[in-house]
Amino acid sequence: MRVAVTGARGFLGRHVTRLLAELGQDVSPLGRGDDGRLRLIDSDPSGAAPALPALLEGHDALVHLAGRSVDSLDTPLEAYLAPNVGLTEELAIAAATA
């Protein structure tokens, strides 16, 4: 099975990625580049990030663990909507498209 894992640099993502690989799955670890867009972790960070449907094409499953964690209670809630709720929506649409 080919599995894409978002948030693969994070605490949960690292463990899930490792476990899936140990179980013999073909894992594509995804993380945010400097531009904030998802890409394969081992890809060239200076290159253009692929569109989400292209990034997910050919995968059988998606484990979505990416998100912005709370960095300060003073940060407005709106700052977390796009990287958390918005990304989840975009990934669901991209997965359905792929």
Side-chain angles (χ1 to χ4, degrees):
M1 179 183 295
R2 191 163 180 224
V3 182
V5 179
T6 67
R9 285 188 182 109
F11 179 78
L12 290 176
R14 281 193 314 264
H15 291 286
V16 168
T17 299
R18 188 188 78 236
L19 177 61
L20 287 169
E22 288 173 0
L23 293 171
Q25 306 307 315
D26 180 10
V27 182
S28 299
L30 305 176
R32 291 184 198 272
D34 292 339
D35 58 2
R37 298 193 54 185
L38 282 179
R39 62 182 73 233
L40 282 169
I41 286 182
D42 294 334
S43 67
D44 179 7
S46 63
L52 288 178
L55 193 60
L56 298 179
E57 190 170 323
H59 289 86
D60 303 301
L62 169 64
V63 178
H64 175 43
L65 300 171
R68 179 178 176 187
S69 59
V70 175
D71 49 10
S72 168
L73 294 177
D74 295 328
T75 303
L77 178 62
E78 293 78 24
Y80 300 99
L81 292 178
N84 293 324
V85 178
L87 178 59
T88 301
E89 179 182 24
E90 290 173 25
L91 282 166
I93 292 167
T97 301

